[in-house]
């Protein structure tokens, strides 16, 4: 016999016989307690993923939902639609699911207008599928299973998939002009902080002139709360004398978060931005405006100080502007925080790419 007691406050209200539980019942309780712990752990992992990387969480949840919809149509013994996370699909079922993803047909059975699915996309979904099953179902698979899925995609499904990435529309000069025209002239949105409009305009011009992705300037949706984005130490301000003998301000922008080169500092892309005559389309004017608003410069306090800097002789090294050391790691595009009912910019948090996507 094994004795188990409730809280002492309940002892008087319960007979002693209620505390005596046989070994079979104890094993059942232990099994239930273990299941509850696993469920709590799984929920904790999901909540943490949803908090830190909401877009990744949504993507994984959508993928696991498609898997469960697929399993409902299969002869899958043991699969319970009411509790689908308990079921662990085998390798053959996972391969058939990957085939259904690559088919990419609409509800009427016709191929979608944008053609076949992209090979690299299906490969990535195969990797995420194993992770999604672990996060949402706590199902672990051997590495050989993941390798088999990738091999199946590359060999068996590849002939039916496109190796070319889906063409993406590019914001050309005219489109950028129209965006800025709307932002400064026609947009009636009441921004929480007046500098937000300046941030949007500056980011738009940097994306346009350097061909960068939003997730390379601010936190990518897959790397939220990582602090990986453009900070002031990545921007070097310089002044030169151009071929016509005129003063010309520009910057070198070290882009450390390029797709495929993220955090690979030796392979960082260096973008160059120079001032243009039209101040409404001049990225330098906006970068200087943000810099003076944050007081990032070590030797300058106002825009008038720029005119006091002597122009370097033609062909000589550019004059560079030193930054205050405490501002080097500060984000260029700050996120808003609420303080006392007012919206103020955070000193260390930056925008995420979702802000620029809207």
């Amino acid at each position: 016999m094994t004795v188990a007691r409730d809280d002492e406050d309940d002892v008087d209200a319960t007979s002693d016989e209620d505390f005596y539980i046989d070994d079979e019942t104890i094993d059942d309780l232990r099994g239930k307690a273990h299941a509850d712990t696993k469920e709590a752990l799984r929920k904790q992992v999901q909540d943490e993923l949803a908090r830190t990387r909401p877009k990744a969480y949504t993507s994984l949840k959508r993928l696991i939902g498609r898997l469960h919809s697929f399993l409902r149509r299969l002869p899958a013994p043991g699969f319970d639609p009411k509790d689908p996370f308990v079921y662990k699909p085998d390798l053959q079922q996972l391969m058939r699911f990957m085939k259904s993803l690559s088919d990419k047909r609409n509800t009427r059975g016709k191929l979608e207008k944008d053609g076949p699915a992209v090979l690299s996309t299906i490969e990535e979904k195969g990797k995420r599928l194993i992770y999604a099953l672990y996060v949402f179902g706590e199902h672990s698979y051997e590495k050989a299973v993941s390798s088999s899925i990738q091999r199946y995609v590359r060999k068996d499904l590849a002939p039916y998939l496109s190796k070319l990435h889906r063409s993406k529309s590019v914001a050309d000069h005219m489109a950028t002009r129209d965006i800025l025209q709307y932002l400064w002239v026609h947009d009636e949105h009441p921004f929480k902080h007046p500098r937000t409009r300046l941030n949007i305009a500056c980011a738009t011009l940097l994306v346009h002139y350097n061909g960068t992705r939003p997730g390379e300037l601010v936190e990518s949706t897959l790397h939220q709360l990582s602090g990986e984005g453009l900070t002031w130490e990545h921007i070097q301000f310089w002044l030169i004398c151009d071929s016509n003998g005129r003063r010309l301000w520009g910057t070198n922008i070290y882009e450390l978060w390029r797709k495929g080169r993220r955090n690979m500092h030796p392979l960082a892309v260096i973008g160059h931005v120079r001032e243009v005559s039209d101040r409404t389309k001049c990225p330098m004017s906006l970068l200087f405006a943000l810099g003076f608003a944050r007081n990032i410069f070590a030797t300058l306090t106002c825009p008038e100080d720029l005119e006091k800097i002597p122009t370097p002789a033609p062909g000589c090294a550019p004059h560079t502007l030193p930054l205050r050391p405490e501002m080097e790691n500060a984000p260029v595009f700050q996120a808003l925080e609420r303080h006392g009912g007012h919206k103020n910019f955070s000193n260390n948090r930056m925008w995420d790419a979702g802000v620029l996507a809207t």
Side-chain angles (χ1 to χ4, degrees), residues 290-305:
L290 291 175
F292 281 116
R294 299 288 305 282
N295 192 22
I296 69 168
F297 301 109
T299 58
L300 307 176
T301 57
C302 62
E304 287 73 16
D305 292 340

Side-chain angles (χ1 to χ4, degrees), residues 212-221 228-229 257 262 353 356:
T212 55
R213 301 159 64 96
E216 296 164 6
L217 295 178
V218 296
E219 286 182 348
S220 168
T221 52
E228 296 179 351
W257 318 116
R262 177 169 288 272
L356 295 180

Side-chain angles (χ1 to χ4, degrees), residues 199-215:
N199 279 340
I200 296 174
C202 184
T204 301
L205 287 175
L206 291 182
V207 169
H208 171 67
Y209 282 112
N210 282 348
T212 55
R213 301 159 64 96

Side-chain angles (χ1 to χ4, degrees), residues 99-115:
K99 175 64 171 64
S100 70
L101 292 179
S102 64
D103 202 16
K104 203 174 183 183
R105 293 178 181 273
N106 59 25
T107 54
R108 297 184 180 180
K110 298 180 180 179
L111 285 174
E112 296 184 354
K113 293 181 180 180
D114 54 354

Side-chain angles (χ1 to χ4, degrees), residues 212-269:
T212 55
R213 301 159 64 96
E216 296 164 6
L217 295 178
V218 296
E219 286 182 348
S220 168
T221 52
L222 293 180
H223 298 272
Q224 287 186 338
L225 302 181
S226 64
E228 296 179 351
L230 189 64
T231 59
W232 288 111
E233 67 174 340
H234 300 147
I235 301 179
Q236 182 185 45
F237 292 84
W238 46 258
L239 172 66
I240 63 171
C241 180
D242 67 8
S243 58
N244 296 321
R246 295 175 300 187
R247 293 165 60 91
L248 180 68
W249 285 101
T251 62
N252 296 335
I253 302 179
Y254 296 83
E255 302 170 6
L256 304 181
W257 318 116
R258 281 262 172 160
K259 187 174 183 180
R261 302 184 184 184
R262 177 169 288 272
N263 217 6
M264 300 170 64
H265 291 231
L267 300 178
V269 176

Side-chain angles (χ1 to χ4, degrees), residues 91 126-127 130 141-151:
L91 177 59
K127 297 175 185 178
I130 299 299
Y141 290 87
E142 295 181 358
K143 190 175 181 179
V145 174
S146 180
S147 299
S148 298
I149 293 176
Q150 293 300 313
R151 191 162 48 248

Side-chain angles (χ1 to χ4, degrees), residues 15 34 67 78 82 87 92 99 153 160 175 197 205 207 223-224 257 264 292 307 323:
S15 65
H34 180 62
L67 173 64
K82 297 181 180 179
Y87 185 78
Q92 293 301 319
K99 175 64 171 64
V153 172
Y160 308 99
R197 199 184 302 269
L205 287 175
V207 169
H223 298 272
Q224 287 186 338
W257 318 116
M264 300 170 64
F292 281 116
E307 299 300 325
L323 304 180

Side-chain angles (χ1 to χ4, degrees), residues 32-248:
K32 185 176 184 301
H34 180 62
D36 290 343
T37 303
K38 290 177 63 176
E39 178 67 27
L41 178 61
R42 185 165 66 242
K43 183 68 165 57
Q44 183 180 2
V45 172
Q46 293 177 25
D47 291 344
E48 181 66 14
L49 183 64
R51 184 183 68 83
T52 57
R53 297 182 180 179
K55 294 295 180 65
Y57 172 79
T58 302
S59 176
L60 292 175
K61 190 174 182 179
R62 185 183 301 116
L63 182 62
I64 204 72
R66 294 183 66 175
L67 173 64
H68 291 160
S69 298
F70 174 77
L71 291 174
R72 289 190 188 97
R73 301 191 297 268
L74 282 184
F79 177 74
D80 183 5
K82 297 181 180 179
D83 193 9
F85 296 106
V86 176
Y87 185 78
K88 182 179 181 179
D90 58 31
L91 177 59
Q92 293 301 319
Q93 292 170 335
L94 295 178
M95 286 183 174
R96 292 181 65 179
F97 174 63
M98 296 306 300
K99 175 64 171 64
S100 70
L101 292 179
S102 64
D103 202 16
K104 203 174 183 183
R105 293 178 181 273
N106 59 25
T107 54
R108 297 184 180 180
K110 298 180 180 179
L111 285 174
E112 296 184 354
K113 293 181 180 180
D114 54 354
V118 179
L119 174 60
S120 59
T121 301
I122 299 301
E123 286 180 323
E124 185 63 28
K125 286 186 177 181
K127 297 175 185 178
R128 293 183 181 182
L129 178 62
I130 299 299
Y131 182 60
L133 284 166
Y134 174 73
V135 171
F136 289 92
E138 210 179 45
H139 300 307
S140 298
Y141 290 87
E142 295 181 358
K143 190 175 181 179
V145 174
S146 180
S147 299
S148 298
I149 293 176
Q150 293 300 313
R151 191 162 48 248
Y152 172 70
V153 172
R154 295 193 189 104
K155 292 186 177 181
D156 296 1
L157 299 183
Y160 308 99
L161 301 173
S162 172
K163 293 179 175 62
L164 299 176
H165 288 281
R166 176 174 53 85
S167 59
K168 299 179 177 63
S169 57
V170 178
D172 56 14
H173 180 73
M174 299 295 288
T176 303
R177 183 200 64 183
D178 292 342
I179 291 173
L180 295 178
Q181 173 77 8
Y182 178 83
L183 179 67
W184 289 111
V185 179
H186 306 291
D187 189 9
E188 298 180 354
H189 178 73
F191 289 101
K192 301 295 184 182
H193 194 287
R195 205 188 307 160
T196 302
R197 199 184 302 269
L198 188 66
N199 279 340
I200 296 174
C202 184
T204 301
L205 287 175
L206 291 182
V207 169
H208 171 67
Y209 282 112
N210 282 348
T212 55
R213 301 159 64 96
E216 296 164 6
L217 295 178
V218 296
E219 286 182 348
S220 168
T221 52
L222 293 180
H223 298 272
Q224 287 186 338
L225 302 181
S226 64
E228 296 179 351
L230 189 64
T231 59
W232 288 111
E233 67 174 340
H234 300 147
I235 301 179
Q236 182 185 45
F237 292 84
W238 46 258
L239 172 66
I240 63 171
C241 180
D242 67 8
S243 58
N244 296 321
R246 295 175 300 187
R247 293 165 60 91
L248 180 68

